[in-house]
Amino acid sequence: MKKEYSMIPKSIKENDLYGFSWIDFVTSIPSVLFLVTTYKSNGKPNACLQSWATFVEDYCIMASVNKNKHMYKSIKETGDMVLNFPSMEIYPKCVETIKNNGFDVDEITESGLTVERSKIINAPLIKECFLNLECKYLWEKENVEGSEHVVMCVKIINVSMDTEYFDENIKGRYGETGYIYNIHNPTNPETGKMEDDFLGILQKIK
Ligand SMILES: Cc1cc2nc3c(=O)[nH]c(=O)nc-3n(C[C@H](O)[C@H](O)[C@H](O)COP(=O)(O)O)c2cc1C
């Protein structure tokens, strides 16, 4: 049996949705987690966790970039950024970047991670991440008119990947050591019960 929902279910109306749509919670579609690193206008490295994004050919489309954060401002200033993919082992340090969010702070070093210069562009990268994608800003569009969030398209111009990860017989890209997924508060539309946020990993089946 399926149930249809085209408006916010009554049970969810009382929940605090932190500015997200109820559809995010009902569908809770997982998306890959990564950190966007840039240089702020004072030269300090910035790191920003992102998850609502998709990748195709040499493009990444970030679906919900907050215009009021350092990441957006520094991309508009430099046009350059690195998308860094962490494994679970270093994820707690990645979350620290949210706490260490001062303008005058090197958010990468302060969170216990290592800054390296990119090979081609003007942005820092995180050494401990198994995959670093050096990117150039292409275009953006407001999600809806007047929104604080934009959809942003960037072009990948350099791929740097740990050799143990591109060999699927050593660490590979998936499973416990590979890509991490954001599972955002799965919520039952009938009862309104909201689960915790979870982190997911991907298992290859066949
Ligand atoms: C799991 C997770 C996923 C996130 N995904 C996004 C996202 O897709 N877009 C966004 O604008 N912020 C996202 N954030 C929030 C930013 O990481 C957060 O606001 C950050 O502190 C902004 O950093 P900045 O001011 O240095 O750019 C996410 C946070 C977490 C914990």
Side-chain angles (χ1 to χ4, degrees):
M1 183 180 79
K2 285 183 186 163
K3 288 206 167 188
E4 314 282 333
Y5 301 94
S6 49
M7 286 193 315
I8 182 166
K10 235 201 248 161
S11 66
I12 295 182
K13 273 193 177 146
E14 304 300 312
N15 291 1
D16 192 345
L17 301 183
Y18 307 100
F20 290 93
S21 160
W22 61 272
I23 295 177
D24 281 320
F25 296 92
V26 172
T27 57
S28 195
I29 297 167
S31 50
V32 72
L33 269 165
F34 56 99
L35 291 121
V36 179
T37 49
T38 47
Y39 284 121
K40 292 180 258 201
S41 57
N42 56 4
K44 299 277 184 188
N46 190 65
C48 177
L49 265 169
Q50 289 283 298
S51 65
W52 288 280
T54 192
F55 294 82
V56 60
E57 297 179 352
D58 35 2
Y59 303 100
C60 167
I61 296 189
M62 293 182 263
S64 185
V65 175
N66 190 324
K67 283 196 276 188
N68 300 316
K69 303 289 175 181
H70 299 136
M71 171 191 152
Y72 178 79
K73 288 183 185 138
S74 50
I75 289 174
K76 294 310 291 262
E77 283 155 9
T78 64
D80 289 356
M81 81 232 67
V82 181
L83 315 185
N84 305 264
F85 292 77
S87 62
M88 273 307 295
E89 205 182 343
I90 59 161
Y91 187 72
K93 291 181 178 170
C94 300
V95 177
E96 286 294 301
T97 63
I98 294 182
K99 280 194 222 142
N100 301 321
N101 194 36
F103 179 68
D104 292 324
V105 174
D106 166 351
E107 300 186 17
I108 301 175
T109 309
E110 194 67 24
S111 306
L113 297 162
T114 313
V115 178
E116 272 186 3
R117 285 201 79 83
S118 298
K119 306 295 171 295
I120 301 182
I121 59 162
N122 176 28
L125 61 79
I126 300 176
K127 184 180 176 197
E128 291 83 356
C129 287
F130 67 87
L131 173 65
N132 312 98
L133 303 177
E134 294 184 34
C135 300
K136 289 255 175 215
Y137 172 89
L138 284 184
W139 55 259
E140 71 187 62
K141 190 172 185 313
E142 282 177 342
N143 291 17
V144 289
E145 212 182 315
S147 171
E148 283 188 345
H149 292 82
V150 292
V151 175
M152 183 185 283
C153 180
V154 303
K155 186 171 169 63
I156 302 164
I157 57 161
N158 192 51
V159 176
S160 167
M161 193 172 200
D162 188 316
T163 54
E164 291 192 345
Y165 282 82
F166 64 60
D167 187 336
E168 288 295 315
N169 295 316
I170 309 180
K171 281 191 171 165
R173 302 158 177 85
Y174 314 103
E176 285 176 15
T177 54
Y179 292 116
I180 312 173
Y181 284 78
N182 181 22
I183 299 175
H184 187 46
N185 301 110
T187 300
N188 181 331
E190 291 299 293
T191 62
K193 185 172 185 303
M194 187 187 265
E195 305 283 335
D196 288 339
D197 265 337
F198 292 98
L199 296 173
I201 51 170
L202 205 63
Q203 185 192 353
K204 287 186 284 183
I205 293 179
K206 66 172 196 149

